[in-house]
Amino acid sequence: MSLKKHALALSLTAALSLGLLSGCGSDSSANVLNVYNWGEYIDTDLIDQFEAETGIKVIYNTFDSNENLYSRIQTTSYDVIIPSDYAISRFIDEDMLQPLNFDNIPNMKYIDEKYTHLDFDPEQKYSVPYTWGVVGIVYNTKYVDEADIGSWDLLWNPKYANRTAMFNNSRDALGIALMYLGCSLNTTDKDELRQAADLIIAGKPVYQGIWMDQILEKLPAEEIIAAPYYNGDAVTMIDENPDLAFYVPKEGTNLFVDAMCIPKNAKNVEGAEKFINFMCSTEAAMANWEYIGYSSPHTGVYEQLDGNGNPIPDTPVQVVCVVTDATACCAQGLEFVCRDDKTYPDDYPELNAEITVTGAFEIYEKNGHIAIDCGCVCGGRLAAYCIETGMATYVDGMKLK
């Protein structure tokens, strides 16, 4: 995977005057496209390519939370936005999105059906899946004892006081606390929500800070040694600092889907549909996957990986890894990290069976890491980041190179 995220998406933000002028007439609006996305969440070369192919000028701005996006689009016109699933559901309920004309988005056919018609957009009228991922913990293997990993409780461990961080994102922070307490992520019980909030407050003496983007800098720089984050950004941080590792805690996690939408007050709907269709082309989806590190819902990406000599989708694969509970991991479709200082089964005799997973999957190599995205036989998705290539093999015994 060739990650180029050092080129900040914010560098593409055009002068404010251009954004203001875009609404001065129909011709002007048709030649300008206002895109609002998460920071560092697109291959910036793709914007240049889209502009060259269409003659449409892209005004690209970024947000740092779905809540800020919600507030912004009520007062500002954007043509394409990329919110998360739960936000899309809210936007639909509040009539803030336009139904999409899929006749103008023929590349929608490449989006894997596993990521369409989900609860947040059951009729698949308002969104086109962009990426999917999970939340887990990124930690520094030099400073965090192996005995302390595997659970969300690492974030409350006083041994690491002033060396960890918590999300500055109420939804994800409360979700982490609820999972740690054994509560449903969807609970509406006020007592459970109060318990979760109190747990986060109780962790403040352990946290060096409550942040979002700062975590992306502080973990690789070893200013902190553990924090929650999203799997795609975890790949990038591990690429920057090989002593970092990522796991999804045994209590569970949230699988999210981010998708492209057109707001109700968009001025350039035709251009927005062209942009969405462009991003759903195999070439653009592949480049974006390489750039941002998040799992792609695009079937053409799988096929392109095969063309590069990677394993064929739907081939069963055995992943021989070090995990604390193989059965629970498989059953929940979670992620786990393979470590090069332990082997299976010698160091973990309690794991009396290899983990076998089947389904469509992607396998790629980056700086000695093997990353595997695959459907688990128990359902859900499973991703294994293996430091040693020899720790993942086909069922038929062929080594992954």
Side-chain angles (χ1 to χ4, degrees), residues 14 67 83 184 262 294:
E67 290 67 34
S184 168
I262 301 178
Y294 279 89

Side-chain angles (χ1 to χ4, degrees), residues 155-168:
L155 301 177
W156 286 272
N157 192 327
K159 183 192 300 186
Y160 306 109
N162 202 40
R163 294 191 289 170
T164 67
M166 175 55 77
F167 269 140
N168 186 18

